Amino acid sequence: MNYKTISVGVMLIALCHIPAVMAAKMESAQSLTVKATAFTSLNMPKPLRTAWGDRLEPGIKAIAVSRDLLNEFGLKRNTKVKISGLEGEYLVLDKMHKRWEKKIDIYMGDDHSKALRFGYRKVKISW
């Protein structure tokens, strides 16, 4: 047996394990159903600043999260979150008052009508 045969065999074994590694990584993602509302920066002081001091501007995909999602569920500032029914990923850039539980508030820039259409609903988030 030569070195080429051995290296091809090792590569094939490694390739066979890639799907298992990817599946394990996907299973480690967390998800949760939460209440969701939307907010805008329309009629707000400019620049709009979050509780952490981040600057929100139209076009940024950002959410505010209830503090239990930070303390009990492991979300952190700048965590990328997918929201069912919405495209793309949103960054956790703000935290809400401690009275809220299992809730997110989605930033919709200056688009007040979009925020009104979104309204209040339950969504599944994953991170």
mmCIF file of all heavy atoms in Angstrom, residues 92-109:
data_model
loop_
_atom_site.group_PDB
_atom_site.id
_atom_site.type_symbol
_atom_site.label_atom_id
_atom_site.label_comp_id
_atom_site.label_asym_id
_atom_site.label_seq_id
_atom_site.Cartn_x
_atom_site.Cartn_y
_atom_site.Cartn_z
ATOM 1 N N VAL A 92 -29.167 40.886 18.376
ATOM 2 C CA VAL A 92 -29.652 41.337 19.679
ATOM 3 C C VAL A 92 -28.839 42.586 20.027
ATOM 4 O O VAL A 92 -27.649 42.501 20.297
ATOM 5 C CB VAL A 92 -29.468 40.255 20.764
ATOM 6 C CG1 VAL A 92 -29.862 40.801 22.128
ATOM 7 C CG2 VAL A 92 -30.268 39.006 20.430
ATOM 8 N N LEU A 93 -29.491 43.753 19.956
ATOM 9 C CA LEU A 93 -28.798 45.010 20.224
ATOM 10 C C LEU A 93 -29.437 45.817 21.350
ATOM 11 O O LEU A 93 -28.947 46.883 21.701
ATOM 12 C CB LEU A 93 -28.741 45.883 18.962
ATOM 13 C CG LEU A 93 -27.874 45.365 17.821
ATOM 14 C CD1 LEU A 93 -27.899 46.330 16.643
ATOM 15 C CD2 LEU A 93 -26.447 45.138 18.277
ATOM 16 N N ASP A 94 -30.543 45.314 21.910
ATOM 17 C CA ASP A 94 -31.218 46.062 22.968
ATOM 18 C C ASP A 94 -31.860 45.086 23.941
ATOM 19 O O ASP A 94 -32.148 43.940 23.599
ATOM 20 C CB ASP A 94 -32.281 46.972 22.343
ATOM 21 C CG ASP A 94 -32.696 48.133 23.234
ATOM 22 O OD1 ASP A 94 -32.125 48.288 24.339
ATOM 23 O OD2 ASP A 94 -33.603 48.886 22.833
ATOM 24 N N LYS A 95 -32.063 45.556 25.154
ATOM 25 C CA LYS A 95 -32.759 44.747 26.147
ATOM 26 C C LYS A 95 -33.965 45.525 26.650
ATOM 27 O O LYS A 95 -33.954 46.749 26.706
ATOM 28 C CB LYS A 95 -31.832 44.344 27.282
ATOM 29 C CG LYS A 95 -31.057 45.467 27.919
ATOM 30 C CD LYS A 95 -30.027 44.919 28.885
ATOM 31 C CE LYS A 95 -29.078 46.016 29.333
ATOM 32 N NZ LYS A 95 -28.055 45.518 30.230
ATOM 33 N N MET A 96 -35.002 44.774 26.991
ATOM 34 C CA MET A 96 -36.270 45.374 27.378
ATOM 35 C C MET A 96 -36.363 45.507 28.893
ATOM 36 O O MET A 96 -35.553 44.951 29.632
ATOM 37 C CB MET A 96 -37.419 44.491 26.855
ATOM 38 C CG MET A 96 -37.381 44.302 25.347
ATOM 39 S SD MET A 96 -38.531 43.059 24.756
ATOM 40 C CE MET A 96 -40.030 44.004 24.811
ATOM 41 N N HIS A 97 -37.385 46.212 29.341
ATOM 42 C CA HIS A 97 -37.647 46.366 30.767
ATOM 43 C C HIS A 97 -37.854 44.984 31.391
ATOM 44 O O HIS A 97 -38.386 44.076 30.748
ATOM 45 C CB HIS A 97 -38.894 47.237 30.974
ATOM 46 C CG HIS A 97 -39.127 47.621 32.394
ATOM 47 N ND1 HIS A 97 -39.745 46.794 33.287
ATOM 48 C CD2 HIS A 97 -38.792 48.744 33.064
ATOM 49 C CE1 HIS A 97 -39.806 47.393 34.469
ATOM 50 N NE2 HIS A 97 -39.229 48.581 34.352
ATOM 51 N N LYS A 98 -37.464 44.829 32.638
ATOM 52 C CA LYS A 98 -37.523 43.519 33.298
ATOM 53 C C LYS A 98 -38.942 42.982 33.491
ATOM 54 O O LYS A 98 -39.117 41.812 33.805
ATOM 55 C CB LYS A 98 -36.769 43.553 34.617
ATOM 56 C CG LYS A 98 -37.268 44.561 35.598
ATOM 57 C CD LYS A 98 -36.361 44.620 36.812
ATOM 58 C CE LYS A 98 -36.749 45.766 37.713
ATOM 59 N NZ LYS A 98 -35.808 45.916 38.812
ATOM 60 N N ARG A 99 -39.962 43.795 33.269
ATOM 61 C CA ARG A 99 -41.337 43.294 33.429
ATOM 62 C C ARG A 99 -41.736 42.314 32.321
ATOM 63 O O ARG A 99 -42.670 41.556 32.467
ATOM 64 C CB ARG A 99 -42.325 44.446 33.495
ATOM 65 C CG ARG A 99 -42.570 45.139 32.167
ATOM 66 C CD ARG A 99 -43.645 46.225 32.292
ATOM 67 N NE ARG A 99 -43.799 46.939 31.073
ATOM 68 C CZ ARG A 99 -43.299 48.137 30.821
ATOM 69 N NH1 ARG A 99 -42.591 48.765 31.728
ATOM 70 N NH2 ARG A 99 -43.503 48.731 29.666
ATOM 71 N N TRP A 100 -41.026 42.339 31.178
ATOM 72 C CA TRP A 100 -41.365 41.476 30.055
ATOM 73 C C TRP A 100 -40.689 40.120 30.182
ATOM 74 O O TRP A 100 -39.564 40.021 30.648
ATOM 75 C CB TRP A 100 -40.952 42.114 28.731
ATOM 76 C CG TRP A 100 -41.620 43.435 28.476
ATOM 77 C CD1 TRP A 100 -41.020 44.654 28.443
ATOM 78 C CD2 TRP A 100 -43.004 43.662 28.235
ATOM 79 N NE1 TRP A 100 -41.942 45.636 28.187
ATOM 80 C CE2 TRP A 100 -43.174 45.046 28.063
ATOM 81 C CE3 TRP A 100 -44.113 42.840 28.154
ATOM 82 C CZ2 TRP A 100 -44.406 45.624 27.808
ATOM 83 C CZ3 TRP A 100 -45.350 43.416 27.904
ATOM 84 C CH2 TRP A 100 -45.485 44.790 27.732
ATOM 85 N N GLU A 101 -41.394 39.084 29.738
ATOM 86 C CA GLU A 101 -40.837 37.736 29.720
ATOM 87 C C GLU A 101 -41.129 37.077 28.384
ATOM 88 O O GLU A 101 -42.217 37.242 27.830
ATOM 89 C CB GLU A 101 -41.435 36.883 30.843
ATOM 90 C CG GLU A 101 -41.028 37.354 32.221
ATOM 91 C CD GLU A 101 -41.598 36.475 33.319
ATOM 92 O OE1 GLU A 101 -42.458 35.595 33.033
ATOM 93 O OE2 GLU A 101 -41.191 36.665 34.468
ATOM 94 N N LYS A 102 -40.145 36.326 27.880
ATOM 95 C CA LYS A 102 -40.249 35.617 26.598
ATOM 96 C C LYS A 102 -40.838 36.527 25.520
ATOM 97 O O LYS A 102 -41.837 36.210 24.891
ATOM 98 C CB LYS A 102 -41.070 34.333 26.745
ATOM 99 C CG LYS A 102 -40.342 33.272 27.533
ATOM 100 C CD LYS A 102 -41.088 31.970 27.511
ATOM 101 C CE LYS A 102 -40.352 30.931 28.339
ATOM 102 N NZ LYS A 102 -41.095 29.716 28.477
ATOM 103 N N LYS A 103 -40.179 37.664 25.330
ATOM 104 C CA LYS A 103 -40.679 38.669 24.389
ATOM 105 C C LYS A 103 -39.514 39.294 23.628
ATOM 106 O O LYS A 103 -38.430 39.470 24.172
ATOM 107 C CB LYS A 103 -41.441 39.759 25.145
ATOM 108 C CG LYS A 103 -42.117 40.778 24.249
ATOM 109 C CD LYS A 103 -42.985 41.712 25.091
ATOM 110 C CE LYS A 103 -43.859 42.616 24.276
ATOM 111 N NZ LYS A 103 -43.194 43.472 23.336
ATOM 112 N N ILE A 104 -39.772 39.607 22.362
ATOM 113 C CA ILE A 104 -38.817 40.371 21.559
ATOM 114 C C ILE A 104 -39.542 41.551 20.938
ATOM 115 O O ILE A 104 -40.764 41.531 20.768
ATOM 116 C CB ILE A 104 -38.140 39.524 20.456
ATOM 117 C CG1 ILE A 104 -39.152 39.045 19.417
ATOM 118 C CG2 ILE A 104 -37.366 38.358 21.055
ATOM 119 C CD1 ILE A 104 -38.525 38.417 18.178
ATOM 120 N N ASP A 105 -38.783 42.580 20.602
ATOM 121 C CA ASP A 105 -39.300 43.754 19.919
ATOM 122 C C ASP A 105 -38.395 43.954 18.706
ATOM 123 O O ASP A 105 -37.178 44.087 18.847
ATOM 124 C CB ASP A 105 -39.248 44.955 20.862
ATOM 125 C CG ASP A 105 -40.301 46.001 20.570
ATOM 126 O OD1 ASP A 105 -41.105 45.803 19.645
ATOM 127 O OD2 ASP A 105 -40.323 47.019 21.283
ATOM 128 N N ILE A 106 -38.977 43.928 17.527
ATOM 129 C CA ILE A 106 -38.214 43.940 16.274
ATOM 130 C C ILE A 106 -38.146 45.365 15.734
ATOM 131 O O ILE A 106 -39.170 46.026 15.571
ATOM 132 C CB ILE A 106 -38.876 43.012 15.234
ATOM 133 C CG1 ILE A 106 -39.019 41.608 15.822
ATOM 134 C CG2 ILE A 106 -38.079 42.998 13.936
ATOM 135 C CD1 ILE A 106 -39.980 40.716 15.068
ATOM 136 N N TYR A 107 -36.934 45.824 15.451
ATOM 137 C CA TYR A 107 -36.725 47.169 14.929
ATOM 138 C C TYR A 107 -37.067 47.212 13.444
ATOM 139 O O TYR A 107 -36.580 46.412 12.664
ATOM 140 C CB TYR A 107 -35.277 47.587 15.147
ATOM 141 C CG TYR A 107 -34.952 48.952 14.620
ATOM 142 C CD1 TYR A 107 -35.620 50.075 15.104
ATOM 143 C CD2 TYR A 107 -33.983 49.137 13.655
ATOM 144 C CE1 TYR A 107 -35.329 51.341 14.624
ATOM 145 C CE2 TYR A 107 -33.678 50.398 13.166
ATOM 146 C CZ TYR A 107 -34.356 51.497 13.654
ATOM 147 O OH TYR A 107 -34.062 52.747 13.176
ATOM 148 N N MET A 108 -37.950 48.158 13.075
ATOM 149 C CA MET A 108 -38.405 48.289 11.691
ATOM 150 C C MET A 108 -38.004 49.628 11.075
ATOM 151 O O MET A 108 -38.682 50.147 10.179
ATOM 152 C CB MET A 108 -39.931 48.131 11.627
ATOM 153 C CG MET A 108 -40.453 46.840 12.184
ATOM 154 S SD MET A 108 -40.814 45.702 10.880
ATOM 155 C CE MET A 108 -41.317 44.249 11.764
ATOM 156 N N GLY A 109 -36.912 50.207 11.539
ATOM 157 C CA GLY A 109 -36.442 51.477 10.978
ATOM 158 C C GLY A 109 -37.456 52.581 11.185
ATOM 159 O O GLY A 109 -37.963 52.772 12.287
#
